[in-house]
Amino acid sequence: MGVLDSKVPQGPLAEKWVNHKNKINLVNPANKRNIDIIIVGTGLAGGSAAATLAELGYNVKTFCYQDSPRRAHSIAAQGGINAAKNYQGDGDSDYRLFYDTVKGGDYRARESNVYRLAEVSGNIIDQCVAQGVPFAREYGGLLDNRSFGGVLVSRTFYAKGQTGQQLLLGCYSAMNRQINRGKIQSYTRHEMLDVVLVGGKARGIIARNLVTGEIERHSAHAVVIASGGYGNVFFLSTNAMGSNVTAAWKVHKKGAFFANPCFTQIHPTCIPVSGEHQSKLTLMSESLRNDGRIWVPKKLEDAKAIREGRLKPTQLAEEDRDYYLERRYPAFGNLVPRDVASRAAKERCDAGFGVNKTGEAVYLDFSSAFMRYGREAVATQKIENASEEEIRKLGKAVVEAKYGNLFQMYEKIVDENPYETPMKIYPAVHYTMGGLWVDYNLQTTVPGLYAAGEANFSDHGANRLGASALMQGLADGYFVLPYTMGDYLADDIRTGKISTDLPEFEEAEKNIRKQLESFMNTKGTKSVDYFHKRLGKIMWDKVGMSRNATGLQEAISEIKALREEFWREVRVPGIMEGMNPELEKAGRVADFLELGELFAKDALHREESCGGHFREEFQTEEGEALRDDENFMYVAAWEYTGEPSNAVLHKENLVYENIEVKTRSYK
């Protein structure tokens, strides 16, 4: 077992990043034009890194499997982006954002990285405003903020319910400027299938053109993996259906350690599963928890009557409703962190109080918000003797202005009007906090190979609070990588172009062709989706919201057997030399089948509960997560040795010198 060096600079926490930037090596502008960088993934992390590095003068190649960088899954983020601007005057600061993020991660994140994230958060907002991102504004003209779960201040900047889309459009416009200048070569509909190491350093990738089927070699002096998370290992998740782990998994198999794979976030406000036919789940923004109240019936007979259609939720008296989050966690109420809210919903549904036909849903009710906002409108508009119906109508208009697109999306999917009947929600897999292990410079254990955004593990610990993903992706791309990559690339100013005729490129391409041919030559009888769905069921049932040793051991064995069956029985129609979506999926599912086993192995080894990782054997009397700080306050980074079950554990011990580690309580 090795102990990892995170390369965290010495000195006081608040001065680490400034001092580090002052001391690292730089590449002068004349030399930058001689250095090539490959970026895999063009969401907020990859897109912002590409635009900034190209603006600095580097030659950048970007790769994405979508038909445009603006279709990256970052576009789906709804609720907002955190920053410590303290526009609300409610006591926020860089330190408070840092503290809340570390506490929200159940003290399983690297202290120095999280402080840097908080430190640059304000710059992100300024950058995006300069790009024209239409953040919501309050009456006085300042940018507006709203609250998110797990914190006691309002620090979340938002653009209605389309924050990810607007941020990505700003990022995409910055990329387009560099594409027009010739500093970015954009390869759309291309999928990275391997990284090429020359002399132990990342020097390029092998990619497949998804339109022509051609296998291509691309060289560079450094490679950035910004390909997002691996939530689709569960098959059903809030991720786009194309989201996958392939880029990250391929570099893991070439020597990059994979850290904390079991740290996966379950989001509490998703549209419930409606049946076996579904291929993805839809997220309802956590921002809805600001104004929606979560409840189930107090009586089992009422819950049963609602499920059977004999009783409508609007007919249930207030005293017969159990606002269970407000009851259990009075200090935070409906704004408890995501893992707490998710487990509480599961517990109520498991106890028989679920409100949809499957019994796996709770209500998110806005009737109180309608009346509260309506009374405010009546007061400000000086309306006398307003009826309850008039008050409710005015309140609905306020809610529509804040969340209208989300309500519209819900109605289209569920065919119920959420203004008239409460929304139904249930937890679903959303975000993955684990990922490629990186040091303070965001470099993996492979020299010249970097990871940014959701593809790395660095900033969120065991439970990402809401509105942190966009913050981390843009921080990595706009404000971290442009500095830290220069420190590494300063040694490459005399290297010259990297040839793609090197034997390492030849070998990597040969191996990729061999795998693709294997898929085409396996004349099985079952589709790729058949295996993906079976993997997802194993993962959700035994490695999902709560886990135990028996289930995890079973999952490891079952996934291994499923993987062996996949390679015997999968059938990929079509041809290799051309467009073939089933061939794309086969490669991705093959990687998920390996990741799933490591995921379960990591969850089994971590004999504690923390944040998004909940082991049933380790909980308090109240059913809350029970950490083991003495034995598990470390990052678990796994080294690939040929089989996921044989992965070797390396530890990065976490030391908190600037905050007191406390039992996490949201009561």
Side-chain angles (χ1 to χ4, degrees), residues 236-440:
L236 284 177
S237 82
T238 66
N239 286 236
M241 288 177 65
S243 297
N244 62 83
V245 77
T246 290
W249 194 253
K250 296 299 188 186
V251 302
H252 170 55
K253 294 174 79 168
K254 284 291 185 75
F257 293 178
F258 209 101
N260 297 338
C262 77
F263 286 175
T264 301
Q265 185 191 91
I266 311 293
H267 198 294
T269 54
C270 298
I271 296 178
V273 176
S274 60
E276 291 292 320
H277 61 283
Q278 273 186 265
S279 54
K280 84 172 295 294
L281 298 174
T282 303
L283 171 69
M284 290 282 99
S285 169
E286 184 183 358
S287 62
L288 295 172
R289 289 201 279 153
N290 275 294
D291 290 309
R293 299 176 70 194
I294 296 172
W295 64 274
V296 293
K298 281 184 179 178
K299 302 172 185 173
L300 283 170
E301 56 265 32
D302 287 339
K304 184 178 180 182
I306 287 174
R307 286 197 297 271
E308 294 174 354
R310 294 183 286 108
L311 181 68
K312 294 181 179 179
T314 50
Q315 295 173 324
L316 204 61
E318 190 71 15
E319 60 269 21
D320 292 326
R321 302 180 180 190
D322 178 15
Y323 296 94
Y324 57 89
L325 291 178
E326 298 172 32
R327 169 172 57 82
R328 295 182 188 179
Y329 310 100
F332 284 78
N334 295 294
L335 289 175
V336 291
R338 292 175 172 179
D339 65 305
V340 177
S342 295
R343 284 198 303 274
K346 183 177 186 295
E347 184 276 329
R348 288 290 78 195
C349 290
D350 289 349
F353 294 91
V355 295
N356 69 345
K357 290 180 180 178
T358 67
E360 293 185 332
V362 299
Y363 285 125
L364 180 63
D365 194 337
F366 288 84
S367 54
S368 295
F370 296 152
M371 300 306 293
R372 184 176 73 252
Y373 285 127
R375 291 189 188 97
E376 286 181 14
V378 165
T380 55
Q381 296 175 32
K382 305 293 190 246
I383 300 173
E384 295 183 5
N385 302 318
S387 67
E388 187 168 306
E389 189 54 41
E390 287 175 308
I391 293 171
R392 189 176 181 85
K393 184 177 180 181
L394 289 167
K396 284 181 179 178
V398 175
V399 170
E400 184 177 6
K402 295 178 75 172
Y403 311 113
N405 64 305
L406 298 172
F407 278 54
Q408 184 182 40
M409 182 171 69
Y410 180 89
E411 186 170 6
K412 281 186 176 181
I413 293 171
V414 180
D415 196 26
E416 285 184 358
N417 184 347
Y419 294 101
E420 303 301 329
T421 189
M423 284 185 181
K424 296 189 191 84
I425 58 168
Y426 194 69
V429 172
H430 179 52
Y431 186 94
T432 50
M433 293 83 77
L436 295 170
W437 184 90
V438 291
D439 62 19
Y440 188 73

Side-chain angles (χ1 to χ4, degrees), residues 45 68 95 263 310 367 415 424 436 487 491 500 513 627:
S68 166
Y95 181 86
F263 286 175
R310 294 183 286 108
S367 54
D415 196 26
K424 296 189 191 84
L436 295 170
D487 187 43
D491 292 332
T500 57
R513 288 188 182 278
R627 296 196 319 262

Side-chain angles (χ1 to χ4, degrees), residues 484-525:
T484 60
M485 290 191 74
D487 187 43
Y488 171 81
L489 292 167
D491 292 332
D492 268 323
I493 58 175
R494 295 183 181 85
T495 301
K497 285 282 183 186
I498 310 291
S499 171
T500 57
D501 293 329
L502 293 169
E504 290 86 351
F505 280 89
E506 182 79 30
E507 180 70 15
E509 181 181 338
K510 185 176 78 173
N511 290 337
I512 289 301
R513 288 188 182 278
K514 184 178 177 182
Q515 184 188 53
L516 295 177
E517 288 166 0
S518 176
F519 286 134
M520 303 310 302
N521 294 333
T522 302
K523 302 301 182 184
T525 58

